[in-house]
Amino acid sequence: MNTDDTGQSDARNDIAAASELATLAARIAHHDECYHGRDDPEISDAAYDALRRRFDELVAAFPELAIGLRPTNSVGATPTTGFFKVTHRRPMLSLANAFDDAELREFVARMRRFLSLAADDNIELVAEPKIDGVSAALRYEHGRLVEGATRGDGVVGEDITRNLRTITDIPEELQGDVPTELEIRGEVYMSKEDFQTLNRNQEDLAAAAGKEARVFANPRNAAAGSLRQLNPETTRQRPLCFFAYGWGAVSEMPAATQSEFLDRLADWGFRTNPLAAVCGTIDAAVAIYHDIASQRLDLPYDIDGIVYKVNRLDWQDRLGIVSRAPRWAVARKFPAEQAETTLLAIDIQVGRTGAMTPVARLEPVTVGGVKVSNATLHNEDEIRRKDIRVGDRVVLQRAGDVIPQVVRVVEAARPKDSVPFEFPTRCPCPVGAEAIRPEGEVVRRCSGGLSCPFQTVERLKHFVSRDAFDIEGLGGRQIQAFWDDGLIVRPGDIFRLSAHEADLKQREKMGEKSVENLLAAIENRRRIGLDRLVFALGIRQVGQATARLLAANYGTFADLRQGMDAALDAESEAYSDLVNIDQIGTSVAGELTAFFADKQNRDILDDLERELKIGPFEAPSAGDSPVSGKTVVFTGTLERMGRSEAKARAEGLGAKVAGSVSKKVDYVIAGPGAGSKSTKAEALGVTVLSEEEWFVLIGMAMPEGKAPVAD
């Protein structure tokens, strides 16, 4: 929580940051689906990366607000129909990004702090070109290919084994000494030359048939479209290639370092990228980025950056993952492209929290292979600062918000009759509620609440989104249409759509079969996990991570509601329990209690409980972990492992990490300087462990001794 010089909470800045974070999270999810699910990106990688970067900047500035709003732990999109589903034995993760030399150096410094290494301890990296293709996972048993899958949403992909078998770079049988079970991961791509040839052939075939040619926008789209052909013979006619770079589930690890594993891949018969190299120092890692960037245009395939990975696999294991990405790897992307176009209009979009966001409607222009017709203008202050006006020629960059941003105005080309843009003081919705912008905030917000149809529809769209109820066949357009016709007014109405089956079958572009499929999909979602339901409710500052924390700590929906009711009293034990959950503070607690106390929200929840079977939270299996389900607190200076690593390790073993000591805590792990938390634990009869005793309890070997490093 930010404070001013008097120590009072600066709630205005917090509210503005929370609003922007919620907006970013929702838009990230939309573009994940466009990129991974439909192979039809609306933005470039640079624009998407810049969105993530802005989100991370806000996380750093407002950690108490942002922790729960991390958009998603998944990294792709819900698998499409037409292929059998495959659950990955190990999730297929995405990568965090570094945008310049300084951020790459900070990536290494951050790992050094996490591992509690001394300043002079070197971290060796492996640098590999980041291929602009489609990720695939190949499962081998006794050296023979038995299954191949897409990334999908990172947890569940599509079985495309038959199509992958047509790629000559993918061996059916591996050579040499191979683990009994082995999953290889890599990138399917199409060369620049083959891409041009494919598009020419498409044009020739269309011309011969007297039709308009449907050509691919770029090699990645061509590769993705080829992999999703239901007929593998069509895929066989497409010249696809494959670079192997990593692994998933493996019965026994045949290497101690990343570079050794790349050597094993080559021994088994895979192609690996010849530009991959070991970087002994951070200076060498910086240098290889600039070297490969200079070769980029001459390479026979598209790359969009460099991926750096910690070479030591034991360090990779210790570093683990955070949210959607491994801590031990980072992607350094190449710079974004720019283009010039005309701003035709400025529209105002209203989000589910009432935030009013200005959006530029543009004369369509192609940037980086993607046609752009919309760009974010962020807020009214940004419009005023750049003096953006309707009719201006503007420079567009694929590195702004989730949709591209306007970098600057070409003032020399400004029409003489242009006038400054006036931001509306009322919501553009039919209600026309006053748009309020409290002093000190950057966001103007519709005050209409649930009476504003724009907010209500956006909340419904969020409710059925991929990481919430994920109802196949019920997207944004369908929600809007059903709302317009009065079929869906609140979330529970979704589960009563079957009462309108006959009417639905008469709707244009639906048809009998699609309606039956939709109603079946809705029925399949009547049982929902607690964490997904909490996320679906769209509570401000409550993203997937916070939803999982709440579900893990309360267990059932009944206990969650009871806990929120009791926590309305800020002096109560229930409120203390809520804010004591690690990564949930007073600001998030305020949003939660306010949501559950609101009568309209309570009516919606009662209605949902009548329609749904809300399952208790199911924690991931931690095997025979002795701390699974236990609550732990770390205090003092940990001398063998950084605080962040210790928390991550505990959560990986199924433990809950709390921020302060109470009678509900099972273990306090106390290092030197533990102070009041250790004293309070002893007074409450909570077991206090030394760092060494903690490692013995969880069955982990003590890491090599290092000087304490502050997190």
Side-chain angles (χ1 to χ4, degrees), residues 197-221:
T197 300
L198 175 62
N199 269 350
R200 283 196 299 269
N201 290 341
Q202 294 283 91
E203 290 171 345
D204 292 344
L205 289 172
K211 298 179 180 179
E212 183 178 350
R214 183 186 183 280
V215 296
F216 292 101
N218 52 57
R220 184 205 175 271
N221 282 21

Side-chain angles (χ1 to χ4, degrees), residues 668-687:
V668 170
I669 296 84
S676 60
K677 289 184 180 179
S678 180
T679 302
K680 183 176 181 180
E682 292 174 353
L684 292 173
V686 175
T687 302

Side-chain angles (χ1 to χ4, degrees), residues 111 114-115 310 315-321 327-328 645:
M111 289 191 296
F114 189 94
L115 295 169
V310 173
W315 282 359
Q316 288 189 15
D317 181 60
R318 285 181 58 188
L319 287 160
I321 64 173
R327 289 189 181 90
W328 45 266
E645 182 180 0

Side-chain angles (χ1 to χ4, degrees), residues 485-514:
D485 292 344
L487 299 181
I488 295 178
V489 177
R490 56 183 181 172
D493 294 334
I494 293 170
F495 301 94
R496 293 185 284 270
L497 271 179
S498 58
H500 306 282
E501 181 174 0
D503 292 337
L504 292 176
K505 289 180 178 179
Q506 300 301 315
R507 297 173 74 92
E508 186 179 357
K509 295 183 179 180
M510 289 203 72
E512 186 170 331
K513 187 62 178 177
S514 61

Side-chain angles (χ1 to χ4, degrees), residues 326-372:
R327 289 189 181 90
W328 45 266
V330 72
R332 171 87 188 273
K333 296 296 190 69
F334 295 129
E337 296 184 28
Q338 294 183 340
E340 187 177 310
T341 188
T342 300
L343 193 156
L344 303 176
I346 297 177
D347 293 343
I348 304 297
Q349 291 184 344
V350 182
R352 61 185 170 86
T353 65
M356 294 169 56
T357 303
V359 176
R361 303 304 180 193
L362 306 162
E363 184 176 304
V365 61
T366 299
V367 186
V370 179
K371 184 173 287 188
V372 176

